[in-house]
Amino acid sequence: MTTRATAKQTDRHRTPSTSRTSSTSRTPPTVRRHYAVVGAGIAGVACARTLVQAGHKVTLFEREAAPGGRMASIDTAFGRFDSGAQYFTVRDPRFALALEATPNLCRPWSANLVRVLDAHGRVAEAALPGRESHWVAQPGMDALVAHWAAPLAGDLITNTQVTQIEPDALDPKRWQLRTAGEDDSQHVYSGFDAVLLAVPPSRTRVLLGDGKLSASISQKIEPVRIAPCWTLMIAFPQANQANMSHLGPQWNAARSTHHRVAWLARESSKPGRERIERWTLQASATWSQEHLRDDAPRVEAKLLRAFAEITGIHAVPSHAQTRCWTEAQTQVPVGKSHLWDAKARIGVAGDWCTGHRVEDAFLSGLSLALAVI
Ligand SMILES: Cc1cc2nc3c(=O)[nH]c(=O)nc-3n(C[C@H](O)[C@H](O)[C@H](O)COP(=O)(O)OP(=O)(O)OC[C@H]3O[C@@H](n4cnc5c(N)ncnc54)[C@H](O)[C@@H]3O)c2cc1C
């Protein structure tokens, strides 16, 4: 095990950012603090960016190889799939303002073609065009978080899972984090004035030591519930080879009341995507929970059958891939934008604080940073 002090005193954090997510002053703070932010989904990145813009130092830890979290995209030989969030909506002016700073990255998607289908693929209700816009980042949903995380690159530590938070061995008024890397290497990062967690609730509970680090936060997150989601991604290059614009139905996205399926979308209809006919299907929360322990081939076969029933597409896909999100969509949120225990110097953010959407996650990360500042 090695010990690393990460408190490099550099000025790069004061570089003016292009974003205008908050009204935080660019005047350097009287005390420049060092924050650990755990989790580089949109909540963690929004939080880290805001702290850096306020002149503080941040070290951002991410378990995966890249930032994005549930705004995830997968590259295949047949094009990209958004395996997590399919689109986002913009209701809050603070989110709208942050997006204005990235004008060419996100595009509206004509998901006003969204249909609500019954179990047999019949239209039960058609969403009206002209309702709120559905936005996608291009070339994949992960691009937005990657873009916002880019200025943090020097202080983003990927492939690194935070396993424990404990008092700093040299300065008990601060925190240190134990981490595990891909290759099972273990490190200790020390000298943090506060630790801000932007990870799913099950991880948050473990990292809070089941109440030992902040009893008040642990108590508030106890009732939170998040449903899993099995996702199927399939490609039909044969449609393009046969010079057909696409297979099956005329709509591009649908909610479904089929007991196995909650959502289907034609990936190739999203802006900035490859034209090869590709679909993403999300299983319902109930079905995903019931089949959480199933193996991927079994789930794939069942979801493919449901896909054929709903869309009428019986062709065999050239590519099929599943992904199981064990914590996908909030069912019982905390009910507050974020949690901050000033005495313990520990905070929590994530979509599950108030809801289940990309925008909820962004606002949660932003409000935690502003509370801390
Ligand atoms: C299948 C699916 C479909 C969805 N569809 C939509 C949609 O259409 N529209 C919409 O608005 N929202 C949708 N969502 C929800 C949306 O993706 C989330 O609201 C949002 O991405 C959550 O962001 P977050 O930063 O709170 O959490 P996450 O994105 O989950 O980020 C948490 C990060 O923490 C990292 N992490 C976890 N533990 C550790 C650790 N110990 N150490 C270091 N890093 C760690 C994870 O790797 C991850 O990157 C969907 C989600 C799923 C799964």
Side-chain angles (χ1 to χ4, degrees):
M1 183 181 297
T2 57
T3 302
R4 290 184 185 175
T6 56
K8 293 175 282 178
Q9 293 299 325
T10 70
D11 277 344
R12 62 178 297 283
H13 300 288
R14 298 209 177 93
T15 307
S17 158
T18 51
S19 106
R20 294 180 286 144
T21 53
S22 73
S23 57
T24 48
S25 157
R26 296 261 163 77
T27 315
T30 41
V31 181
R32 189 173 188 244
R33 298 192 191 285
H34 187 181
Y35 295 99
V37 177
V38 184
I42 192 167
V45 168
C47 181
R49 270 164 38 104
T50 309
L51 291 169
V52 167
Q53 285 161 18
H56 294 287
K57 176 168 174 57
V58 170
T59 303
L60 176 57
F61 295 88
E62 171 53 46
R63 186 184 54 187
E64 301 296 332
R70 279 171 282 159
M71 291 182 77
S73 308
I74 294 179
D75 267 326
T76 73
F78 301 100
R80 282 190 153 215
F81 289 88
D82 293 325
S83 62
Q86 295 289 295
Y87 64 85
F88 59 86
T89 46
V90 185
R91 298 174 191 166
D92 188 287
R94 290 167 295 174
F95 191 36
L97 208 55
L99 291 166
E100 274 174 27
T102 59
N104 298 317
L105 198 63
C106 300
R107 286 269 178 273
W109 172 42
S110 59
N112 52 5
L113 295 177
V114 166
R115 301 277 188 262
V116 179
L117 305 175
D118 70 12
H120 308 289
R122 291 183 298 243
V123 176
E125 179 199 317
L128 294 174
R131 276 199 191 161
E132 82 184 323
S133 294
H134 296 65
W135 292 86
V136 294
Q138 46 183 13
M141 286 294 277
D142 57 349
L144 180 61
V145 182
H147 181 80
W148 280 342
L152 305 167
D155 297 305
L156 169 62
I157 303 177
T158 54
N159 290 317
T160 300
Q161 177 172 353
V162 173
T163 53
Q164 205 172 330
I165 306 169
E166 57 193 20
D168 190 318
L170 298 177
D171 179 356
K173 289 198 291 302
R174 294 199 164 89
W175 292 112
Q176 67 182 30
L177 303 185
R178 287 184 185 273
T179 66
E182 261 187 320
D183 50 358
D184 279 345
S185 59
Q186 298 186 354
H187 296 290
V188 178
Y189 293 85
S190 50
F192 298 110
D193 293 296
V195 179
L196 309 175
L197 301 175
V199 298
S202 65
R203 285 281 93 208
T204 305
R205 289 184 184 111
V206 171
L207 287 173
L208 290 179
D210 291 322
K212 288 193 202 77
L213 299 190
S214 170
S216 68
I217 293 183
S218 290
Q219 194 187 359
K220 289 189 184 94
I221 67 175
E222 205 284 319
V224 171
R225 294 290 173 265
I226 308 233
C229 178
W230 270 106
T231 302
L232 172 70
M233 293 154 277
I234 43 183
F236 299 95
Q238 57 266 49
N240 305 73
Q241 281 150 14
N243 279 332
M244 296 163 70
S245 61
H246 55 73
L247 294 174
Q250 294 305 311
W251 43 263
N252 290 329
R255 298 192 187 289
S256 156
T257 57
H258 191 290
H259 73 287
R260 284 184 194 161
V261 180
W263 166 264
L264 309 89
R266 197 192 305 269
E267 287 286 340
S268 36
S269 73
K270 294 179 180 174
R273 268 55 172 190
E274 302 82 354
R275 292 295 101 197
I276 293 175
E277 175 88 350
R278 301 185 309 289
W279 287 82
T280 296
L281 178 152
Q282 290 167 359
S284 66
T286 310
W287 193 88
S288 296
Q289 184 64 54
E290 286 166 7
H291 294 265
L292 201 53
R293 307 272 164 247
D294 282 8
D295 57 31
R298 189 175 149 84
V299 167
E300 182 183 309
K302 283 178 182 291
L303 292 182
L304 266 176
R305 261 204 305 281
F307 175 76
E309 283 167 25
I310 295 169
T311 60
I313 301 176
H314 292 273
V316 178
S318 298
H319 174 86
Q321 182 172 356
T322 52
R323 175 163 192 175
C324 182
W325 295 94
T326 51
E327 288 173 286
Q329 195 179 47
T330 314
Q331 307 216 301
V332 180
V334 174
K336 288 184 183 329
S337 62
H338 63 273
L339 298 171
W340 169 235
D341 182 339
K343 193 156 169 252
R345 290 160 290 110
I346 289 180
V348 167
D351 62 340
W352 51 277
C353 284
T354 54
H356 56 85
R357 301 180 309 120
V358 166
E359 185 175 28
D360 297 322
F362 172 87
L363 293 173
S364 178
L366 174 65
S367 67
L368 175 60
L370 295 178
V372 166
I373 293 164

